[in-house]
Amino acid sequence: MAERSLLERLRRWLTPIEELEATELRQRAEDCGAEPVADAAPRSRVTLRGEILSITSDAKNGWLEAEVNDGSGTVGLIWMGRSRLECLMPGRHIRVTGRLAEDEGRPVIFNPDFEIIP
């Protein structure tokens, strides 16, 4: 038992922080019933959970985009007709539901339903 604990601590100490964070994000998504971005099929209705990496907007054209990472991959969330949503900030966790599409080879969801996770 003590040997197992020591091996676990050693593994965590030697594992890069990015890998540990990705594992934690995947576990949180799995715990709330969300599917991994990497396993989501295009044109299917999905529920995903992850951390907002970035927010960009184009007020001139009227869209807002967030990039979300769930530990298995990233997905773009695009709200058309919006230039900002006050509750969306990098570092926050979000659960989204919508139809998965592709935009220039990357997964995106247009106008997703979303919930900020505290």
Side-chain angles (χ1 to χ4, degrees), residues 13-83:
W13 189 73
L14 295 173
T15 303
I17 189 72
E18 294 84 8
E19 187 177 325
L20 292 173
E21 289 172 347
T23 300
E24 183 178 338
L25 284 171
R26 285 191 304 271
Q27 186 62 49
R28 285 183 178 183
E30 183 180 309
D31 290 348
C32 80
E35 60 188 288
V37 170
D39 295 345
R43 298 185 301 279
S44 65
R45 187 150 176 86
V46 296
T47 297
L48 308 170
R49 177 189 170 154
E51 181 180 1
I52 299 172
L53 299 176
S54 65
I55 304 285
T56 55
S57 71
D58 183 349
K60 179 181 171 189
N61 293 317
W63 59 263
L64 175 70
E65 183 173 354
E67 184 178 9
V68 175
N69 177 18
D70 76 343
S72 73
T74 59
V75 62
L77 308 176
I78 300 173
W79 288 270
M80 296 179 289
R82 303 296 297 242
S83 59

Side-chain angles (χ1 to χ4, degrees), residues 50-53 68 86-94 116-117:
E51 181 180 1
I52 299 172
L53 299 176
V68 175
E86 295 292 329
C87 58
L88 297 180
M89 290 185 243
R92 286 205 166 159
H93 290 255
I94 188 171
I116 300 296
I117 308 293

